Amino acid sequence: MRISVFGLGYVGCVTAACLAARGHQVIGVDVNPIKVDLINRGQASIVEERIGDLTAEMVASGALRATTDVAEAVAASEISLVCVGTPSAPNGSLSTTYLERVAEEIGAALAGQERRHTVVFRSTMLPRTCTDLLIPILERASGRTAGAGFGVAVNPEFLREGTSVKDFFDPPKTVIGEYDPASGDLVASLYEGLPGDVFRVPITAAEMSKYAENSFHALKIAFANEIGAVCRAMGLDSYPVMDMLVADRKLNISPAYLRPGFAFGGSCLPKDLRGLVYAARRADVSVPLLSHLLPSNEDHLRRAFELVAATGSKRVGLFGLSFKPGTDDLRESPLVELAELLLGKGYDLRIYDETVTLSHLMGANREYIESRLPHLGDLLTTSADDVLAHAEVCVVGCTTPTVLSALEAAGDRTIIDLVRLPDAAERRNLPGYVGLGW
């Protein structure tokens, strides 16, 4: 395939050389003539393992060249990959200046062509940057319509500095945000045969994926560093501790706990977080990440309450009360805290949880609920249908078969989903349904 790559910085240089190595004819494009000259002389514009030799080999073979002429590059290619920078503005916002400029230039170049051309953005950008900003620029400059007159896709890169060539040929996955299937097909063909799953998703999901991943990487580093600081203050070597943590592929390094839902609770997580933060403070160790986990959790719980408040209705049915389905443990359950908050604000509340029977609660579990919801016996029912009959607003905190069956008769009641119902994807666009994080 004939490809043009806009921006010959870190991502663009690697993308151009690696695509050329996969048998494509590649033209690199940059406003900086120095970078263009380096490529045309067989020299990479960055310092990176393997990229120097690969660039020299591809230029020598005739598979890779560079230019400053946008019109020439677009005319000589079927697909343009945009790899320009999106730096932070002084206030922390995303700067889209380079993206807008390239979109304008590519659009103008397309105005003089009849054949279909596909524009693929690899630059990191916030959701809806492509659909709300860049596509309108392309359409205005080209006089064509996206999806018909030209193709559009978002294809975020997951290249690590220092190993980017290796990462290109051995990716963890390939993400394609497609405006239309034809554009997605074309991008997928660029990476055909490479390992890893291929995700073809809406453009906005592809844009967000890069932010989710980089935020998670930053979170992991900050977490490990804070644990290390606490361990050192206690006279421990943090490495054996973290070796045991990462060895757990069932809960720790896995999809476990990485699905948005309601706040965490129970007898372990809140207690142990408080204990560790207290120990760090006693040792004069600052742990801002760890110390903000409980406040973050409380904010998430409050978001659920605000969704109920926004309905303007006062008759609420709460489905689920224990901190985890399949148990009657109510200690520090976020659903108990939500119920307490609703009662305190004057809501007429009824609760159903098939695993919770007041007469069976004992010990610390009973003491906890008596201190938080002393009138639970007046609120708790043994029938999901009774709660549904009472409610104008259904707050769903579990997905047991009895609850799902009752919700089938919800009619025009508002459903506030805290756990993502099995048919949440279909419900999202229906009136009266509100998902907590989806």
Side-chain angles (χ1 to χ4, degrees):
M1 193 182 304
R2 294 174 299 145
I3 304 168
S4 52
V5 176
F6 284 77
L8 293 174
Y10 189 87
V11 173
C13 183
V14 172
T15 297
C18 291
L19 286 173
R22 283 180 57 79
H24 301 288
Q25 288 292 316
V26 182
I27 306 173
V29 188
D30 203 285
V31 296
N32 188 337
I34 296 175
K35 291 183 180 180
V36 169
D37 186 55
L38 281 172
I39 296 295
N40 287 331
R41 286 192 281 118
Q43 299 175 14
S45 57
I46 62 168
V47 176
E48 170 77 35
E49 183 182 358
R50 291 177 60 189
I51 191 60
D53 291 341
L54 188 62
T55 301
E57 182 182 343
M58 292 302 102
V59 171
S61 71
L64 174 63
R65 64 183 179 89
T67 182
T68 58
D69 191 329
V70 172
E72 174 200 354
V74 172
S77 59
E78 306 157 64
I79 183 171
S80 294
L81 273 59
V82 179
C83 305
V84 298
T86 51
S88 291
N91 66 355
S93 65
L94 177 75
S95 174
T96 59
T97 300
Y98 303 134
L99 280 171
E100 293 175 56
R101 182 186 304 161
V102 169
E104 182 77 33
E105 291 173 341
I106 293 176
L110 292 178
Q113 295 189 20
E114 294 183 1
R115 59 183 174 82
R116 180 183 168 97
H117 191 92
T118 299
V119 184
V120 181
F121 295 97
R122 278 173 71 75
S123 305
T124 301
M125 52 190 179
L126 289 166
R128 295 187 174 82
T129 301
C130 183
T131 55
D132 294 358
L133 177 66
L134 301 178
I135 287 178
I137 291 174
L138 286 165
E139 290 181 330
R140 186 169 56 251
S142 67
R144 298 182 180 189
T145 303
F150 60 90
V152 182
V154 169
N155 174 222
E157 48 80 23
F158 301 99
L159 308 175
R160 297 168 295 172
E161 291 195 36
T163 60
S164 59
V165 174
K166 177 181 180 298
D167 290 343
F168 186 97
F169 291 115
D170 186 20
K173 63 186 171 300
T174 298
V175 174
I176 303 168
E178 56 189 31
Y179 187 82
D180 58 283
S183 297
D185 290 343
L186 194 64
V187 177
S189 70
L190 296 178
Y191 306 107
E192 189 174 357
L194 292 181
D197 293 333
V198 177
F199 295 90
R200 295 178 63 164
V201 297
I203 280 179
T204 49
E207 289 169 316
M208 189 62 195
S209 68
K210 187 64 182 291
Y211 283 91
E213 295 216 1
N214 281 351
S215 297
F216 186 48
H217 296 328
L219 177 68
K220 289 183 290 184
I221 293 168
F223 170 79
N225 288 342
E226 287 194 3
I227 293 295
V230 174
C231 286
R232 183 180 183 279
M234 293 179 171
L236 309 175
D237 181 357
S238 62
Y239 268 66
V241 174
M242 297 307 288
D243 284 344
M244 290 182 283
L245 185 147
V246 300
D248 184 344
R249 298 295 198 271
K250 185 175 182 180
L251 298 179
N252 295 343
I253 312 300
S254 74
Y257 307 119
L258 282 173
R259 294 288 187 264
F262 197 33
F264 62 76
S267 60
C268 296
L269 298 188
K271 172 183 69 70
D272 293 346
L273 265 172
R274 281 192 290 266
L276 183 59
V277 170
Y278 177 76
R281 287 172 178 163
R282 287 194 62 187
D284 290 328
V285 176
S286 175
V287 285
L289 174 63
L290 294 173
S291 64
H292 279 83
L293 292 180
L294 284 171
S296 172
N297 198 50
E298 291 161 7
D299 283 350
H300 198 52
L301 188 152
R302 183 162 291 277
R303 276 191 280 272
F305 170 77
E306 290 170 351
L307 291 178
V308 177
T311 67
S313 301
K314 284 294 185 179
R315 296 168 64 89
V316 177
L318 177 60
F319 296 88
L321 191 63
S322 64
F323 96 96
K324 182 184 290 187
T327 174
D328 68 348
D329 194 348
L330 303 175
R331 291 172 293 174
E332 299 212 45
S333 167
L335 291 170
V336 170
E337 295 187 42
L338 179 59
E340 184 181 23
L341 185 57
L342 289 167
L343 286 173
K345 295 295 184 179
Y347 285 84
D348 186 359
L349 181 65
R350 295 291 183 276
I351 303 171
Y352 171 78
D353 189 320
E354 65 185 44
T355 63
V356 177
T357 303
L358 190 58
S359 61
H360 293 171
L361 299 178
M362 60 185 66
N365 195 14
R366 188 178 185 92
E367 291 173 9
Y368 178 82
I369 198 63
E370 287 179 344
S371 69
R372 302 303 293 267
L373 289 176
H375 303 296
L376 178 61
D378 298 329
L379 307 172
L380 196 62
T381 76
T382 58
S383 168
D385 292 328
D386 288 349
V387 172
L388 181 68
H390 164 82
E392 297 170 330
V393 178
C394 300
V395 180
V396 184
C398 67
T399 56
T400 58
T402 50
V403 169
L404 295 180
S405 177
L407 289 176
E408 290 178 2
D412 59 358
R413 293 173 179 84
T414 298
I415 294 177
I416 296 176
D417 184 1
L418 307 182
V419 290
R420 192 170 175 93
L421 289 165
D423 57 350
E426 291 73 35
R427 287 181 179 265
R428 284 184 70 239
N429 298 317
L430 297 177
Y433 173 83
V434 183
L436 180 60
W438 43 91

